[in-house]
Amino acid sequence: MNVFYNKWYKNHALVYKVLLFIVTTLFIVYLFPKTGKFKYSFEKGKPWQSENLYAPFNFAIKKSAKEIKEEKAEITSRSLVYFELDKAVEQNVLSDYLARFNQVFIESNDFVSDKSDLYKKGQSIIKKLYDQGVLDLEYKYDDDRVVKLATANKVEKEVQYGSLYELSTLRGHIEADLGNAFPVEIKKRMVSIFFDVIQPNISLNETLTNKALEEELSRLSLTRGRVEKDQLIISKGQVIEEPQYDILSSLKSEYESQEWNTANYNWVLVSYTVLVALTLLMLLLFLQKYRNEVFLNNTKVTFIFFNIALMILITSLVVNVNSQFIYIVPLCIMPLVLKAFFDARLGLFTHVLTVLLLGFVVPNSYEYMFLQIIAGMVTILTVSELYKRANLFISVGQITLIYIIAYFAFFVIHEGQLTGLKLETFGLFVLCGLATLFVQPLIYIYEKIFGLVSDVSLLELSDTNTKLLKELSNRAPGTFHHSLNVANLAESSANEIGANAMLVRVGALYHDIGKMNNPTYFTENQSTALNPHDELSSKESAKIIIDHTIKGIEIAKKYKLPDRVIDFIRTHHGTSLVYYFYMKEKATNENVDVNDFRYPGPTPFSKETAILMMCDSVEAASKSLKEPTSTKINEFVENIINKQMENGQFLNADITFKEIQSIKKVLKSKLANIYHLRIEYPE
């Protein structure tokens, strides 16, 4: 059991990566469409590029969405419409008419001749109205549309919609029927009577109407024709016209149909899993070979896998809702984020792999992948110094422009003309660019969640007004001044060899914060001739000097400095000796233990930490130069750095001899400028 636990402990990082790999693979496969994928790409009006295509099985030719829409519209326009007829309304209206007529004419003192004829005329008008029917509302049907009048779900008769009376047209019909046989005043009173008593007796029966429409639509055929197995669909080089396009679309639909049997469905899942696993495996191999420090850090590997899964998740959700909005997903955020935390090469490699995986999710995958890969390249090439807001806005504008230009070119290639170009798509690209600006707060969120450090955070840490640096300047002003000088030297050296100048500058500013605990024990902070080391033994003095790295780490953790910055505090002396006190002790004690005078390390393990070690040693020792000349400075720099190389301080750092020579050159030039040296001319 102990052997098992020991193996688990030794390989727990690898086991974690395997589990992360499996979980991410399964999650991405879960997001993929659970169907087969048609292996051919085709466009209407373009030649068929593949070999002769024969039908692999029997299938029906599906009607296009446009055809189905037109047929549905036609069915809707001619389907039966049912109205509810209320026969009791006519009798009620006649009763009300009698009462109202008597009130207006019989009881009135106005003299009206032939009241009986007038009354009968009104009755005939009412009978005529209700023989046809009076509608309760105005409906949007054509006048020649056949409608059925029903009572208690029993059809009474069929009429044309135009023969029914609408309330808004009653005045005209009544006045026409009254004619000129009666005086104008009588006609006005009769019209007012009708408006008081007339009530609609016909209303739309939505239940029967909708049921009739559904029955008609249910008989609509979604297919037209059939293709038999082994039938030639299209020949190589043949232009894809409307008939061939419909057949190919139907075949593609069959492949991507949900009606797959269990065996085929399982094979589809297995195939997806293999392809996703291969893609993620390529990423892990890339990290192991070219970014081993990232590969060994499980947090960073998790961060990269999380971003891939997140982008695929967001894109899948958008495709499921409406695939027309896929270009609104700001996929270029991922290379921006990865470049901010790691480097451009890793960001582009991961972006390309993610786009390849998204090819299984999005429609028109080739066009999508081309646009996104080009946009990713532009992102990597244009975005520099992300902490500068102007740079981000300029880069986002360039990315949006590339999207628009590339999409425009694809549209012209597909359509052969500009007619039908949708400006809404360009608006989606603009929204995508605006969404890309969210990268700034996203980087901050990632820093807090995953404990990573970006250039934005480094810029904040480089501010000398931060609480920790202000405390350093107050308690150890000499050390603070030394740190500023080292930061300037280190930044110039990093720029010379292409290292992370911002990171090494921040590391230089904080590398000696441990000296705040005992500032007077370090020469740069001694303002008087008194030296507290005179009262201590060499071993005690060495311990105080060595402890400033350990104290610095404690202070850095207290102030929650990032681990990448703490690495500079830990490594800036490597495993070198406190040489002065070691030689002083050795002069009186031949059996001195060298480990008592050696820094605990570790040695620098990156270009940036190696640069800091060189610049720190050179700047500190340069204070002892008397009457410096160019020759003295050159020999001085060479001796210090060569001694560090001989002691193996740079064996773990990824730095070359050529880069070390470049750093020496920068340090010599900077020191010459500091001491205001001129060129030494031969006598």
Side-chain angles (χ1 to χ4, degrees), residues 118-176:
L118 180 61
Y119 176 78
K120 290 178 181 179
K121 184 63 176 177
Q123 277 187 319
S124 66
I125 293 174
I126 292 174
K127 180 173 176 53
K128 178 183 176 182
L129 290 176
Y130 286 102
D131 282 344
Q132 294 299 114
V134 180
L135 292 165
D136 61 337
L137 297 171
E138 294 183 14
Y139 298 95
K140 304 296 183 180
Y141 296 118
D142 296 333
D143 288 344
D144 58 352
R145 181 74 172 270
V146 176
V147 299
K148 292 190 176 185
L149 304 182
T151 57
N153 294 331
K154 178 184 177 182
V155 177
E156 294 288 336
K157 59 181 177 178
E158 290 185 2
V159 298
Q160 288 187 332
Y161 178 78
S163 66
L164 301 176
Y165 292 103
E166 295 176 346
L167 291 174
S168 61
T169 63
L170 282 181
R171 176 182 289 274
H173 291 294
I174 294 171
E175 289 179 348

Side-chain angles (χ1 to χ4, degrees), residues 565-585:
V565 177
I566 296 176
D567 288 339
F568 288 91
I569 302 173
R570 186 181 290 112
T571 63
H572 74 278
H573 283 296
T575 56
S576 60
L577 283 173
V578 183
Y579 193 74
Y580 175 81
F581 291 109
Y582 171 69
M583 295 304 296
K584 183 178 178 181
E585 179 70 15

Side-chain angles (χ1 to χ4, degrees), residues 21-46:
F21 175 84
I22 294 172
V23 170
T24 307
T25 300
L26 295 178
F27 178 73
I28 293 174
V29 171
Y30 173 77
L31 296 175
F32 279 4
K34 310 299 187 295
T35 61
K37 194 168 182 69
F38 195 52
K39 64 180 179 179
Y40 300 105
S41 296
F42 57 91
E43 298 174 28
K44 188 187 297 184
K46 303 294 181 182

Side-chain angles (χ1 to χ4, degrees), residues 254-302:
E254 288 293 326
Y255 268 97
E256 298 179 353
S257 171
Q258 297 291 341
E259 301 298 327
W260 284 64
N261 58 45
T262 304
N264 285 338
Y265 179 72
N266 290 337
W267 277 112
V268 169
L269 288 182
V270 170
S271 301
Y272 273 146
T273 304
V274 170
L275 292 175
V276 174
L278 284 175
T279 305
L280 296 180
L281 182 61
M282 293 303 104
L283 177 58
L284 288 175
L285 292 176
F286 173 85
L287 294 176
Q288 186 182 36
K289 185 173 180 61
Y290 298 106
R291 299 292 182 272
N292 195 51
E293 74 282 359
V294 177
F295 179 79
L296 296 176
N297 190 317
N298 283 341
T299 301
K300 293 180 179 179
V301 175
T302 304

Side-chain angles (χ1 to χ4, degrees), residues 532-543:
H533 286 289
D534 294 339
E535 300 177 0
L536 302 175
S537 66
S538 299
K539 191 173 181 179
E540 290 173 331
S541 295
K543 187 178 187 310

Side-chain angles (χ1 to χ4, degrees), residues 339-401:
K339 184 179 180 181
F341 288 119
F342 305 111
D343 60 86
R345 188 177 178 185
L346 175 57
L348 181 59
F349 189 85
T350 307
H351 175 74
V352 171
L353 292 182
T354 305
V355 172
L356 291 177
L357 291 175
L358 286 174
F360 294 107
V361 178
V362 300
N364 201 0
S365 56
Y366 176 77
E367 176 184 326
Y368 178 85
M369 290 191 294
F370 184 92
L371 287 175
Q372 295 295 359
I373 290 175
I374 290 295
M377 291 179 178
V378 172
T379 302
I380 293 297
L381 294 174
T382 60
V383 176
S384 59
E385 299 178 327
L386 191 60
Y387 54 86
K388 295 182 179 179
R389 290 171 294 180
N391 287 357
L392 179 60
F393 279 96
I394 293 171
S395 296
V396 167
Q398 293 171 335
I399 294 167
T400 305
L401 181 62

